[in-house]
Amino acid sequence: MSTPSKPVAFILGYGPNIGQAVARKFKDGGFKVAVSARKLDENAVREEGYLDVPINLESVDSIRNAFNRVGKELGPAAAVIYNASSWNSVDASDPLANSYETFFTDAVVSGVNAYEMARLAKAGFEKLPASAPKVFIGTGNLLPWINLPVMLGISVGKRALANIIEASAGAYEPQGYRFYFAHGVIGATGGAQIPPNAPAHADVYYRLYNQTEQGAWEVCFTETGELYDRAAGKLVPGA
């Protein structure tokens, strides 16, 4: 009897906090792991046993090349985690102060280019066995629901990411393709986690991969990984 191949996790936006924690969690869960960032310490990444895939998240061609490489070297990813953003702040009194190019970079890196990542993730899901879990997770924040002029570019990006995920979650649930906009808050106040709690993100992302149904596309959680109802401003009972 042949041994089933390990599932593949692809983390786009492999940084020292959430990215590293998520990669380690999926590796410990038996995944083959590929990680992407503009700058990678190739030796450190390879010591962890990951496939290192340099990427420019502003470039659709770079994103396509990265997915192609992961598919060829590891196989289609069952878990795709988009964990990137770009932020060039402005004064609240002048939200249009940044150049268009700076604004555009913040918007596309923070979420607009997630459209192509979600599209490529879906193409990979179509190649996996019907019984295999298939999940796309975008690291979000509270910006789709608040007005912060100082963060206009990243705000546009995260709102786009939320819209892409909401539309995809509803459309592809029948095929078993699941999509989540996941973000951490402080349990006592519902405010943003600054800095984000990396272990909580890793635990929640791994839990999302293993759950059997889509559920809510927005997944809000505390520092301890408890689910939080953002709209109601309280913990989800019994979660």
Side-chain angles (χ1 to χ4, degrees), residues 60 64 67 113-126 136 164 168 172 179:
V60 172
R64 290 170 181 165
F67 272 85
N113 276 357
Y115 176 86
E116 183 64 2
M117 296 173 217
R119 195 184 69 83
L120 294 169
K122 171 183 169 285
F125 296 164
E126 292 169 350
F136 179 96
I164 291 162
S168 300
Y172 300 115
F179 294 80

Side-chain angles (χ1 to χ4, degrees), residues 79-220:
V80 176
I81 293 96
Y82 178 53
N83 177 57
S85 61
S86 175
W87 173 25
N88 288 277
S89 63
V90 294
D91 190 275
S93 66
D94 190 8
L96 303 180
N98 277 335
S99 68
Y100 172 80
E101 290 78 11
T102 297
F103 167 81
F104 185 77
T105 294
D106 286 353
V108 298
V109 171
S110 300
V112 173
N113 276 357
Y115 176 86
E116 183 64 2
M117 296 173 217
R119 195 184 69 83
L120 294 169
K122 171 183 169 285
F125 296 164
E126 292 169 350
K127 299 175 183 177
L128 293 170
S131 60
K134 307 164 189 74
V135 63
F136 179 96
I137 302 170
T139 299
N141 53 34
L142 291 168
L143 286 174
W145 297 279
I146 59 177
N147 177 34
L148 278 181
V150 298
M151 302 176 74
L152 182 59
I154 183 177
S155 178
V156 169
K158 290 304 179 185
R159 290 181 188 216
L161 177 61
N163 288 347
I164 291 162
I165 287 174
E166 181 180 16
S168 300
Y172 300 115
E173 183 176 3
Q175 291 97 310
Y177 309 160
R178 293 178 286 116
F179 294 80
Y180 300 100
F181 182 92
H183 59 108
V185 297
I186 299 169
T189 65
Q193 290 177 16
I194 303 175
N197 185 293
H201 281 73
D203 289 345
V204 170
Y205 289 10
Y206 190 71
R207 194 165 72 219
L208 287 173
Y209 173 81
N210 284 291
Q211 76 181 37
T212 57
E213 297 181 352
Q214 167 67 49
W217 63 270
E218 182 199 354
V219 178
C220 186

